[in-house]
Coordinates of all heavy atoms in Angstrom, one line a residue:
P300 N 127.1 51.9 185.6 CA 127.7 53.1 185.0 C 126.9 54.4 185.5 O 127.3 55.5 185.1 CB 127.4 52.9 183.5 CG 126.3 52.0 183.4 CD 126.4 51.1 184.6
L423 N 127.6 62.9 178.1 CA 128.9 62.5 177.6 C 129.3 61.1 178.1 O 129.8 60.3 177.4 CB 129.9 63.5 178.1 CG 129.8 64.9 177.5 CD1 130.8 65.8 178.1 CD2 129.8 64.9 176.0
P480 N 110.4 53.9 176.5 CA 109.5 54.5 175.5 C 108.5 55.4 176.1 O 107.8 56.1 175.3 CB 108.8 53.2 174.9 CG 108.9 52.2 176.0 CD 110.2 52.4 176.7
P617 N 98.8 71.7 174.2 CA 97.9 72.7 174.8 C 98.5 74.1 175.0 O 97.8 75.1 175.0 CB 97.5 72.0 176.2 CG 97.6 70.6 175.9 CD 98.8 70.4 174.9
A652 N 136.4 85.9 175.7 CA 136.2 87.4 175.9 C 135.8 88.1 174.7 O 136.1 89.3 174.5 CB 137.5 88.0 176.4
T658 N 127.2 88.1 165.6 CA 128.0 87.0 165.2 C 127.7 85.8 166.1 O 127.2 86.0 167.3 CB 129.5 87.3 165.2 OG1 129.8 87.9 166.5 CG2 129.8 88.4 164.1
A660 N 128.0 83.2 168.9 CA 128.8 83.0 170.1 C 129.2 81.5 170.3 O 128.3 80.7 170.7 CB 128.0 83.5 171.3
A710 N 112.7 78.3 162.4 CA 111.3 78.0 162.2 C 110.7 78.8 161.0 O 109.5 79.2 161.1 CB 110.4 78.1 163.4
G749 N 147.9 68.1 165.5 CA 147.0 68.4 164.5 C 145.9 69.3 165.0 O 145.5 70.3 164.4
D768 N 138.8 91.1 171.8 CA 138.9 92.0 172.9 C 140.4 92.0 173.4 O 141.1 91.1 173.0 CB 138.0 91.5 174.0 CG 138.0 92.4 175.3 OD1 137.5 93.5 175.2 OD2 138.5 91.9 176.3
A785 N 148.7 70.0 181.1 CA 147.8 68.9 181.4 C 148.0 67.7 180.5 O 148.0 66.5 180.9 CB 146.4 69.4 181.3
S836 N 121.3 98.8 175.4 CA 120.5 99.5 176.4 C 120.4 98.6 177.7 O 120.5 97.4 177.6 CB 119.1 99.8 175.8 OG 118.5 98.6 175.5
D856 N 94.5 101.4 194.3 CA 93.9 100.5 193.4 C 92.4 100.3 193.6 O 92.0 100.0 194.7 CB 94.6 99.1 193.5 CG 94.3 98.2 192.3 OD1 93.5 98.6 191.4 OD2 94.8 97.1 192.3
V877 N 105.1 96.9 189.2 CA 104.6 97.7 190.4 C 103.2 97.6 190.6 O 102.7 98.2 191.6 CB 105.1 99.2 190.2 CG1 106.6 99.3 190.1 CG2 104.4 99.8 189.0
D920 N 92.7 108.9 179.0 CA 92.3 108.4 180.4 C 90.8 108.2 180.5 O 90.4 107.2 181.2 CB 92.8 109.4 181.4 CG 94.3 109.3 181.7 OD1 94.9 108.4 181.1 OD2 94.8 110.1 182.5
A991 N 94.3 124.5 161.5 CA 95.3 124.4 160.4 C 96.6 125.1 160.9 O 96.5 126.2 161.5 CB 94.8 125.0 159.1
A1025 N 110.1 120.5 171.0 CA 109.0 121.5 170.6 C 108.7 122.3 171.9 O 108.7 121.8 173.0 CB 107.8 120.7 170.1
R1059 N 102.4 130.0 168.9 CA 103.6 129.7 168.1 C 104.4 128.6 168.7 O 104.8 128.7 169.9 CB 104.4 131.0 167.9 CG 105.8 130.7 167.2 CD 106.4 132.0 166.7 NE 105.7 132.5 165.5 CZ 106.1 133.5 164.8 NH1 107.2 134.2 165.2 NH2 105.4 134.0 163.8
G1119 N 71.7 100.7 171.8 CA 72.9 101.1 171.1 C 73.9 100.0 171.3 O 73.7 98.8 171.0
A1141 N 79.2 84.7 172.4 CA 79.6 84.6 171.0 C 80.8 85.5 170.7 O 81.1 86.4 171.5 CB 78.4 85.0 170.1
L1172 N 91.8 73.3 170.6 CA 92.6 72.5 169.6 C 93.8 71.9 170.3 O 94.1 70.7 170.2 CB 93.0 73.4 168.5 CG 93.9 72.7 167.4 CD1 93.2 71.5 166.8 CD2 94.3 73.7 166.4
V1189 N 101.5 50.4 177.4 CA 100.8 49.1 177.5 C 101.5 48.1 176.6 O 101.9 46.9 176.9 CB 99.3 49.2 177.1 CG1 98.7 47.8 177.0 CG2 98.6 49.9 178.2
Q1202 N 112.2 33.6 177.7 CA 113.5 33.3 178.4 C 113.3 32.3 179.5 O 114.2 31.5 179.7 CB 114.1 34.6 178.9 CG 114.5 35.6 177.8 CD 114.9 36.9 178.4 OE1 114.9 37.1 179.6 NE2 115.2 37.9 177.5

Side-chain angles (χ1 to χ4, degrees):
L423 296 179
T658 53
D768 183 70
S836 62
D856 192 1
V877 300
D920 282 355
R1059 170 165 291 185
L1172 175 59
V1189 171
Q1202 292 172 2

